[in-house]
Amino acid sequence: MPDGLNVDYDGLIPNNVGLADDARVRKALETWHPGYIGWWHDMGPEGFQDALVYLRTAVSVDPKGWAKFGFVKMPDYKWGVLLAPAVEGRTIPFGRHRGEAVWQEVPGEYRAMLRRLLVIQGDTEPASVEQQRHLGATAPSLYDLRNLFQVNVEEGRHLWAMVYLLQKYFGRDGREEAEELLRRRSGHADTPRMLGAFNEATPDWLSFFMFTYFTDRDGKMQLEALAQSGFDPLSRTTRFMLTEEAHHMFVGESGVSRIVERSCEAMRAGGIDNPADTVRARALGVIDLPTIQRKINLHVSLTLDLFGNEISTNAANAFNAGIKGRYREDRLEDDHQLLDSTYPVLRCVAGRIVEEKVPALSALNMRLRDDFGADAAGGVGRWNKVIEKAGYAFRLTLPHVAFNRRIGEFAAIHADPAGRVLDAGAWSARQAEFLPSADDNLYIAALMKPVHGAGQFANWIAPPKAGVDGKPGSFEYVQIHA
Ligand SMILES: [Fe+2]
Ligand SMILES: [Fe+2]
């Protein structure tokens, strides 16, 4: 099988995995393809299927120059199967098989575990497209509209990535799972997506930027952990997905940053000295900083739930098996088996939040969640720099891990964003301080009006520092009436 850097665009399905010589898998993917296109038409970006969008398409998996840009109608996007190049002589980096040659086929004893991980990862990809499908109608600029669609087509490709693994390595059950991935629907009462955060609505652009900054970053952490896998095709798939994922988090970070920038600029120009003056900020038609903080609180708490239970035997089993590693396992210095080590975990004991040392193997979800927190703090710091530069004494923060949780230790208690435990009465009295209120959501919804003139931006968001692919911010990134 050729391990080319370059993508073969000759057949129906672009790929660098030698599909031309793999009749069985090619047929399975070609059989799945019409269902995928049908799903894209039904559940992909609403109202823009005929627009010409300036999108990047992968032409190679070489980190240098893997993408080319051009105008395409989204349903004609070249979704395909792309794996990062194989690493010569790679060995399993962790767990009980540490040091053995990586697997090119699924080890029978870990088949069920692997299939489950692929399906859960795969399910999130179309879910986010479904969640974001109405946003085109209210895009604050053509630049933002294009970025939304870029994220959407790449999440579609990530679904292809997981479906390829299911169909190539899991035979009939893989094909059935691939069908199910097209059948579930975000937020559907009977056939919802598998994970909570992927059934929430993404009703407005602030939510979209928060989602791509925080929830796509959960995706990054999961993909990083799978990129360490001893099952080499999974490692190679996720390594290439991570190059695309980086752009999604850039869209989120820069989107929030541009909102913060515009809010501060308008408040300064309007002579507002109190950065928390919601009423006066809103009178200027921008999003006040306390509301941005409440959106952070909501999206972070939903995203933390994706990391699962604090103490998890599933995570321990997947690590022992060599299937799912830690964030940057290959750069960590320890025994990579964690037989005798412990890890500090915040737990809920008799209604109080206490730190306990637990066996490191059972705390792997928490370790990944902590790595997520450290990673997410970077962008929050950069948002605060924007506020600081405008001369305002207001700081955005990540909420405490005990705040507003549905899964794990803290689902049983209420805590404020600083991690102080509250009784039920105090929680309901103060909830509107912490989480977006109906009023906040109505205000944001009222701002969401489409701006479709080239080079124009909605009043509540600053233009980007730079455009896409060396083009200016005023470039017509989406030709709506093609
Ligand atoms: Fe993705
Ligand atoms: Fe993503």
Side-chain angles (χ1 to χ4, degrees):
M1 194 175 77
D3 275 333
L5 286 174
N6 294 323
V7 182
D8 173 5
Y9 274 97
D10 287 346
L12 177 65
I13 297 157
N15 72 94
N16 72 338
V17 296
L19 273 190
D21 307 318
D22 190 345
R24 183 186 65 81
V25 177
R26 192 179 68 234
K27 177 152 180 288
L29 285 169
E30 286 176 357
T31 306
W32 185 78
H33 181 262
Y36 172 82
I37 296 294
W39 167 81
W40 180 270
H41 274 286
D42 292 347
M43 297 311 294
E46 188 182 49
F48 292 90
Q49 303 275 2
D50 288 324
L52 284 169
V53 187
Y54 194 68
L55 293 175
R56 69 177 185 188
T57 303
V59 287
S60 156
V61 292
D62 187 338
K64 305 184 278 299
W66 61 270
K68 82 168 191 329
F69 286 82
F71 281 100
V72 256
K73 291 186 182 182
M74 285 183 279
D76 301 333
Y77 187 76
K78 294 287 187 187
W79 285 286
V81 179
L82 305 172
L83 270 56
V87 174
E88 201 66 46
R90 184 168 177 259
T91 56
I92 299 169
F94 59 90
R96 75 167 70 92
H97 303 285
R98 176 164 194 254
E100 296 171 21
V102 289
W103 302 299
Q104 298 304 333
E105 294 295 331
V106 176
E109 57 191 313
Y110 305 136
R111 192 174 190 278
M113 177 192 285
L114 251 173
R115 191 180 89 178
R116 174 110 189 122
L117 286 171
L118 295 180
V119 168
I120 290 173
Q121 180 62 42
D123 195 65
T124 66
E125 315 288 0
S128 66
V129 175
E130 293 165 2
Q131 288 169 295
Q132 296 161 14
R133 68 183 299 254
H134 302 298
L135 290 172
T138 57
S141 72
L142 293 180
Y143 165 84
D144 290 291
L145 189 61
R146 176 259 165 221
N147 281 348
L148 166 70
F149 294 156
Q150 184 71 60
V151 170
N152 292 159
V153 294
E154 287 176 351
E155 300 303 8
R157 205 204 67 74
H158 291 177
L159 172 60
W160 275 87
M162 291 300 119
V163 163
Y164 166 72
L165 293 178
L166 285 166
Q167 292 191 333
K168 179 157 174 79
Y169 297 99
F170 292 84
R172 175 206 279 265
D173 4 327
R175 289 194 296 280
E176 284 168 4
E177 295 285 14
E179 290 302 323
E180 288 301 311
L181 285 166
L182 293 177
R183 206 163 293 140
R184 287 185 288 272
R185 291 285 182 270
S186 176
H188 195 283
D190 303 322
T191 55
R193 293 292 172 182
M194 298 172 85
L195 302 174
F198 292 89
N199 287 305
E200 299 282 334
T202 308
D204 59 72
W205 280 75
L206 180 54
S207 303
F208 170 64
F209 294 134
M210 291 290 175
F211 185 98
T212 43
Y213 186 70
F214 291 112
T215 309
D216 277 70
R217 189 174 307 276
D218 161 69
K220 168 188 166 176
M221 304 312 289
Q222 303 299 336
L223 293 174
E224 288 272 9
L226 296 172
Q228 301 289 339
S229 183
F231 179 49
D232 205 42
L234 176 58
S235 167
R236 294 176 55 199
T237 302
T238 47
R239 270 190 281 136
F240 186 71
M241 290 165 76
L242 281 163
T243 63
E244 294 168 315
E245 207 60 68
H247 171 71
H248 308 176
M249 284 170 291
F250 161 80
V251 168
E253 179 175 336
S254 59
V256 174
S257 181
R258 289 162 53 215
I259 293 174
V260 169
E261 179 189 340
R262 178 63 194 130
S263 297
C264 290
E265 178 192 71
M267 288 195 297
R268 272 285 164 242
I272 299 173
D273 291 326
N274 175 8
D277 192 334
T278 294
V279 173
R280 288 184 68 199
R282 289 187 181 184
L284 299 171
V286 294
I287 304 177
D288 51 289
L289 300 179
T291 295
I292 294 174
Q293 178 64 60
R294 288 192 285 275
K295 282 282 199 179
I296 292 174
N297 293 346
L298 173 67
H299 285 270
V300 170
S301 57
L302 287 170
T303 302
L304 292 179
D305 278 344
L306 295 171
F307 289 87
N309 285 309
E310 281 79 356
I311 308 297
S312 165
T313 45
N314 280 346
N317 290 341
F319 183 86
N320 274 333
I323 296 296
K324 184 178 177 184
R326 290 171 292 176
Y327 181 54
R328 299 192 170 160
E329 183 78 43
D330 49 1
R331 295 189 217 169
L332 298 174
E333 303 226 6
D334 59 19
D335 68 352
H336 299 278
Q337 293 183 320
L338 303 177
L339 297 177
D340 306 310
S341 44
T342 61
Y343 189 81
V345 171
L346 289 182
R347 304 199 66 179
C348 183
V349 178
R352 290 176 46 243
I353 301 167
V354 292
E355 187 180 286
E356 270 184 13
K357 280 197 176 0
V358 303
L361 266 178
S362 56
L364 285 164
N365 285 344
M366 283 316 87
R367 186 178 176 122
L368 197 61
R369 193 188 72 189
D370 290 343
D371 290 334
F372 163 85
D375 203 51
V380 178
R382 287 184 286 277
W383 299 336
N384 283 331
K385 284 269 183 315
V386 175
I387 301 173
E388 204 180 307
K389 219 172 125 194
Y392 285 117
F394 187 101
R395 294 297 170 263
L396 298 167
T397 55
L398 294 171
H400 192 274
V401 295
F403 171 75
N404 192 41
R405 299 296 305 282
R406 297 281 177 277
I407 291 188
E409 297 278 324
F410 303 114
I413 59 164
H414 295 297
D416 72 8
R420 285 178 293 252
V421 176
L422 302 176
D423 61 34
W427 169 259
S428 41
R430 296 184 59 198
Q431 209 176 331
E433 275 174 55
F434 310 143
L435 289 167
S437 64
D439 192 51
D440 295 337
N441 290 330
L442 279 175
Y443 174 69
I444 295 171
L447 291 181
M448 297 295 124
K449 305 255 166 57
V451 176
H452 286 166
Q456 294 176 357
F457 289 84
N459 176 59
W460 51 267
I461 191 166
K465 298 265 175 296
V468 176
D469 185 36
K471 300 272 185 285
S474 59
F475 184 70
E476 191 179 1
Y477 288 103
V478 182
Q479 297 172 10
I480 295 174
H481 306 291

